[in-house]
């Protein structure tokens, strides 16, 4: 199979810097696979967040192996940076990463509250579960989605890269077929645009146009965080 991809990241309308990192670098292209796509959303202040997300992406891209092994390597690299530079103590990042094989098999790894979605036959399915305070409260029946959307702790993650020597990685296996669209995004999109609105934009035929549309929609909704999206379309050879 052949894959068409588009990657885009934006500061948003409020932040004066971008703590997200993505792979591939912003742009668009075509691949027959294997193809690696990833989004990392850093935390830890102006320098720390940017360094954590960039280190995680660069390490995950460079080491090879399964999604889980790449994420574990990224975790150790971010932790090592923080341990050797006191000013970076406490920095961390989310990391959602997919390794897509030429036959459409996807090895997906996930830590934090960035997300992966599968858009198939006009229907959007969220693949990952947020590792966040409000997500866990909703799962326990203690918050409604409406309450979670405005909760003061809605940005608090319960699992992240770079905080402990080992991190628990959620893994998923998907099989893409022609016509499928895979989206990985930071919470700068998903916290402002609900799944129905995301699905509406993903109906756009061109992945680059869809990526721009998602970023523009998040900015129209307030753009109070950095916004990052990577889209992959699966097409016949």
């Amino acid at each position: 199979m052949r894959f068409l991809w588009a990657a885009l990241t934006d500061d948003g309308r409020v932040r004066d810097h971008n703590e997200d990192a993505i792979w591939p670098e912003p742009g668009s292209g075509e691949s027959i696979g294997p193809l690696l796509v990833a989004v990392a959303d850093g935390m830890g202040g102006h320098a720390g967040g940017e360094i954590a997300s960039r280190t995680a992406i660069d390490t995950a891209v460079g080491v090879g192996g399964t999604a889980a092994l790449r994420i574990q390597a990224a975790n150790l690299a971010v932790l090592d940076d923080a341990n050797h530079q006191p000013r970076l103590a406490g920095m961390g990042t989310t990391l959602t990463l997919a390794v897509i094989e030429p036959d459409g098999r996807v090895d997906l790894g996930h830590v934090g509250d960035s997300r992966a979605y599968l858009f198939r036959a006009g229907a959007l399915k969220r693949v990952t579960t947020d590792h966040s305070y409000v997500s866990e409260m909703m799962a326990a029946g203690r918050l409604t989605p409406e309450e979670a959307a405005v909760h003061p702790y809605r940005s608090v993650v319960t699992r992240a890269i770079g905080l402990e020597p080992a991190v628990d990685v959620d893994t998923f296996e998907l099989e893409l077929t022609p016509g499928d669209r895979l989206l990985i995004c930071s919470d700068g999109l998903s916290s402002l645009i609900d799944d129905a609105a995301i699905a509406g934009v993903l109906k756009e035929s061109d992945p680059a146009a869809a990526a721009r549309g998602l970023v523009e929609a998040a900015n129209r909704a307030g753009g109070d965080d950095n916004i990052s999206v990577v889209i992959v379309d699966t097409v016949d050879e």
Side-chain angles (χ1 to χ4, degrees):
M1 283 186 284
R2 191 161 51 93
F3 307 106
L4 305 178
W5 59 266
L8 185 61
T9 187
D10 188 83
D11 291 358
R13 299 178 60 189
V14 175
R15 303 288 181 88
D16 63 358
H17 63 287
N18 196 336
E19 294 186 329
D20 290 356
I22 62 175
W23 188 265
E25 296 292 343
S28 59
E30 181 176 333
S31 173
I32 59 171
L35 175 65
L36 173 68
V37 293
V39 168
D41 180 356
M43 61 200 78
H46 192 298
E50 291 181 38
I51 292 171
S53 62
R54 187 74 262 163
T55 298
I57 291 287
D58 289 347
T59 302
V61 169
V63 296
T66 66
L69 286 174
R70 291 172 187 263
I71 290 176
Q72 293 290 357
N75 180 67
L76 290 174
V78 174
L79 185 63
D80 186 64
D81 277 357
N83 286 340
H84 287 88
Q85 301 182 65
R87 70 185 180 90
L88 301 178
M91 73 174 181
T93 184
T94 72
L95 182 56
T96 302
L97 178 153
V99 181
I100 307 172
E101 299 295 341
D103 62 1
R105 288 180 295 116
V106 180
D107 176 21
L108 179 69
H110 166 69
V111 175
D113 64 353
S114 298
R115 291 181 179 175
Y117 291 90
L118 177 62
F119 188 65
R120 173 178 285 169
L124 185 69
K125 176 185 177 182
R126 190 189 308 176
V127 178
T128 54
T129 299
D130 295 347
H131 302 138
S132 68
Y133 176 80
V134 296
S135 180
E136 293 178 3
M137 292 286 281
M138 283 193 295
R142 299 174 64 186
L143 279 180
T144 66
E146 294 75 19
E147 291 169 334
V150 296
H151 198 282
Y153 294 161
R154 62 187 179 277
S155 297
V156 175
V157 296
T158 54
R159 200 185 304 177
I161 297 292
L163 303 183
E164 300 289 343
V167 63
D168 188 12
V169 180
D170 288 355
T171 59
F172 308 86
E173 293 183 358
L174 307 175
E175 290 194 11
L176 300 180
T177 59
D180 286 348
R181 174 168 279 180
L182 181 69
L183 166 68
I184 299 181
C185 65
S186 64
D187 73 330
L189 176 72
S190 57
S191 65
L192 291 176
I193 306 299
D194 64 21
D195 287 3
I198 290 173
V201 177
L202 287 177
K203 292 176 182 177
E204 177 71 48
S205 60
D206 177 64
R212 288 193 302 271
L214 290 173
V215 169
E216 289 167 1
N219 276 325
R220 285 196 301 271
D224 61 4
D225 198 356
N226 309 140
I227 309 152
S228 295
V229 299
V230 181
I231 294 173
V232 180
D233 285 0
T234 307
V235 298
D236 281 320
E237 284 284 4

